[in-house]
Amino acid sequence: MASDRPRIGPVDPSALQGLYHAAFPDEDLAPLVTALASEPATIHLTRGTPIVAHAALTRCEIGDDTGYLLGPVAVAPDAQGQGHGRALIEAAIAEANGARVMVLGDPAFYTKFGFSEDRAVAPPYPLPAAWRAAWQGTGRPVAGVLTVPAPWRDPALWS
């Protein structure tokens, strides 16, 4: 399965809720995943039937430039370590076609894909100091504030 190319296309949010609950049992990402499923600015990448991995790539603005926000990304616990997450992240970066891709995630993981701490692009809401290194970008360097579509405008997602 790890050699399968990620599928890009619409998703059924109910098919993702179990995946996100299993991957992140201490977080309720169902409202965000449901909202992103109908957000036209979001590209969904999946692997497996049934879905064992999912990544959302949301088109945003950074000043006068187009950028993307990668996340959430989830891999079913029993499918982790098989290359699913790597394939989705690499496909998302390729889909961005050189544009800046931002992520709020574990630096030890995302640096493997060329992400590095980014202080030139401000998140839409202030981040806790402990999360600052987790705000990372890759792709064309740009500066400004990341302007996100409605599903991402909940300050609780950023604190």
Side-chain angles (χ1 to χ4, degrees):
M1 167 104 42
S3 64
D4 294 344
R5 294 170 56 95
R7 289 185 306 279
I8 298 174
V11 292
D12 175 2
S14 64
L16 298 178
Q17 289 178 8
L19 169 67
Y20 277 90
H21 178 70
F24 301 102
D26 297 331
E27 297 180 50
D28 183 12
L29 293 172
L32 175 61
V33 171
T34 298
L36 289 174
S38 61
E39 171 56 52
T42 299
I43 300 164
H44 296 276
L45 301 99
T46 58
R47 290 192 89 190
T49 305
I51 296 171
V52 298
H54 169 264
L57 182 67
T58 303
R59 188 176 54 255
C60 302
E61 294 176 10
I62 304 170
D64 293 332
D65 207 341
T66 297
Y68 291 88
L69 179 60
L70 175 61
V73 177
V75 178
D78 62 349
Q80 291 178 3
Q82 300 175 26
H84 298 295
R86 172 174 291 283
L88 292 177
I89 293 166
E90 289 173 349
I93 292 169
E95 190 70 23
N97 196 27
R100 193 73 172 165
V101 178
M102 302 302 300
V103 68
L104 183 59
D106 180 3
F109 180 73
Y110 284 98
T111 56
K112 299 174 191 175
F113 304 98
F115 286 89
S116 60
E117 185 176 349
D118 193 324
R119 294 195 180 256
V121 176
Y125 296 95
L127 297 175
W131 292 9
R132 191 63 192 115
W135 182 242
Q136 305 162 79
T138 192
R140 224 177 15 254
V142 295
V145 176
L146 186 75
T147 303
V148 294
W152 285 107
R153 291 188 196 138
D154 178 356
L157 295 170
W158 302 90
S159 61

